[in-house]
Amino acid sequence: MFRRYSLHIVLRYCCIVMMSCTCCPRHCDVDRRVKLGFCHASMLPEIASVSVHKGEEPPISGKKGIVNIFFAHCNLQCCFCQNKEISGASVESDKVFYHSADEVVGRVAELLPQTENVVGFVSPSHYAWLVPEMVEAFHAKGMYPTIVYNTNGYDTVDTLRMVAPYVDIYLPDFKYMDASLAQRYSHAADYPQRAQEALIEMLAQKGTGLPTDENDIAFRGIIVRHLVLPGQVQNSIACLQWMADNLSTRLHVSLMAQYYPPQDNLPDQLNRTLLPEEYNQVVAAFHDLGFTRGWVQELSASETYRPDFSRRQSF
Ligand code: SF4
């Protein structure tokens, strides 16, 4: 019964993408079999990396790590993206290692026993229909990992409802409250509105709890990530304020300081790393607003988080 229901959903989504893609809030309305939309992803799966990652929040990656599936391309295209070589509009063919769900599932089967039995779908918004397909393939092979949906937050409520039966933990970004900043950095003036709707939907699905098993690995919930950008303290505080006012201060929030300039000629103050006084203001706001659950990354993280997607074992 479950399989028949999910197949129906997957087929419906394939049709939506084939006829007129509305998979994400861009609503490009293109037939991805013949034309590319904003994300430059066709109908064919392009997966840049399937690798074990130990750098997620502690209840996600634990001691042994998580198998992360990194999709190529992205529906947001942030100018400061730290994964540009796999998320850009044009991704070099030698950066795409997998072209089918079957290949990915085979690689996950090899890696999963080494990990905490957790699989993360990273930047899945533009390939969302592959999540049910792959999760069902895991089950068919006798694998029942905890599923993490690691998204930039620019998602439609419809897509989140489609993946809901397959996702255990949402790991969304909440990048901007400032619409002009969202437009300037990510070509998405509606990001604040769309991300707020997405977060409300995620909270309705999972609640504020983050229950863990006997190994302290979470099996359900939400962790909202916020990367503090240089020169944009007010945007960061506004993101925290909105979550405190509209979601809950019981939400698990992960404040991140790992920003580094991935290239030259970036706008505003993006050509430098974060200053201690900037980060300290955001951390103080996090505590003043009453958040008590989550993680505050050390400022020195910008020196250590530099993925290399030319190797299969990234990070
Ligand atoms: S998934 Fe890609 S093609 Fe589809 S609406 Fe979003 S950006 Fe456009």
Side-chain angles (χ1 to χ4, degrees):
M1 189 65 183
F2 177 68
R3 288 182 64 78
R4 204 180 307 151
Y5 167 69
S6 59
L7 184 62
H8 164 76
I9 291 175
V10 171
L11 286 174
R12 181 173 150 254
Y13 253 74
C14 283
C15 289
I16 288 171
V17 174
M18 282 195 284
M19 288 159 56
S20 174
C21 187
T22 54
C23 209
C24 88
R26 300 258 180 217
H27 281 218
C28 295
D29 290 333
V30 293
D31 178 345
R32 283 169 53 176
R33 290 170 302 177
V34 293
K35 192 173 176 196
L36 301 179
F38 181 89
C39 63
H40 278 231
S42 74
M43 278 295 290
L44 300 174
E46 290 183 66
I47 289 98
S49 173
V50 180
S51 54
V52 176
H53 183 201
K54 298 184 178 176
E56 311 288 25
E57 288 74 2
I60 301 271
S61 53
K63 290 191 177 72
K64 295 191 280 187
I66 173 177
V67 181
N68 268 338
I69 298 167
F70 290 87
F71 291 98
H73 307 286
C74 180
N75 65 334
L76 211 47
Q77 300 293 321
C78 306
C79 64
F80 56 84
C81 180
Q82 302 183 0
N83 295 340
K84 204 104 185 167
E85 56 183 334
I86 67 160
S87 66
S90 62
V91 178
E92 304 280 332
S93 58
D94 66 353
K95 297 288 187 301
V96 178
F97 283 103
Y98 306 91
H99 297 87
S100 74
D102 282 352
E103 289 177 290
V104 171
V105 172
R107 183 65 176 148
V108 169
E110 289 172 15
L111 296 175
L112 196 62
Q114 309 165 23
T115 70
E116 303 283 2
N117 200 37
V118 183
V119 169
F121 290 93
V122 183
S123 296
S125 306
H126 53 300
Y127 280 121
W129 73 93
L130 289 173
V131 173
E133 186 180 335
M134 289 191 201
V135 173
E136 293 222 343
F138 298 156
H139 294 177
K141 284 184 172 292
M143 301 185 287
Y144 293 88
T146 297
I147 301 298
V148 177
Y149 199 80
N150 180 343
T151 168
N152 55 38
Y154 196 50
D155 293 295
T156 67
V157 170
D158 279 353
T159 297
L160 293 174
R161 289 180 182 165
M162 186 269 292
V163 300
Y166 307 90
V167 171
D168 299 300
I169 297 173
Y170 286 108
L171 187 55
D173 296 338
F174 185 28
K175 294 176 183 289
Y176 310 112
M177 273 295 287
D178 180 334
S180 63
L181 202 62
Q183 176 63 28
R184 195 154 70 247
Y185 291 177
S186 301
H187 324 278
D190 64 343
Y191 179 94
Q193 184 64 34
R194 300 287 89 80
Q196 288 166 22
E197 292 163 358
L199 291 173
I200 289 168
E201 173 62 23
M202 292 174 195
L203 187 65
Q205 289 182 22
K206 305 297 179 194
T208 56
L210 194 68
T212 54
D213 65 14
E214 63 280 8
N215 297 317
D216 295 326
I217 302 300
F219 55 84
R220 177 186 165 88
I222 313 172
I223 299 172
V224 181
R225 285 176 165 173
H226 177 75
L227 175 66
V228 183
L229 295 171
Q232 301 302 340
V233 167
Q234 290 315 312
N235 175 65
S236 291
I237 293 175
C239 288
L240 295 173
Q241 182 79 59
W242 184 86
M243 288 192 285
D245 292 346
N246 297 279
L247 300 179
S248 170
T249 52
R250 294 185 59 73
L251 199 63
H252 291 77
V253 175
S254 183
L255 268 187
M256 305 173 81
Q258 68 191 53
Y259 178 82
Y260 68 92
Q263 62 188 65
D264 296 332
N265 303 319
L266 290 168
D268 304 337
Q269 298 176 59
L270 292 178
N271 286 313
R272 63 166 172 83
T273 54
L274 202 56
L275 302 174
E277 52 268 36
E278 291 175 319
Y279 195 49
N280 290 343
Q281 283 184 65
V282 180
V283 173
F286 176 85
H287 295 302
D288 290 347
L289 286 166
F291 288 102
T292 55
R293 300 162 124 186
W295 298 267
V296 174
Q297 197 174 38
E298 289 178 17
L299 192 57
S300 59
S302 65
E303 297 302 313
T304 52
Y305 282 77
R306 302 197 181 189
D308 176 2
F309 287 97
S310 63
R311 296 175 294 134
R312 285 190 182 218
Q313 184 68 37
S314 306
F315 297 93

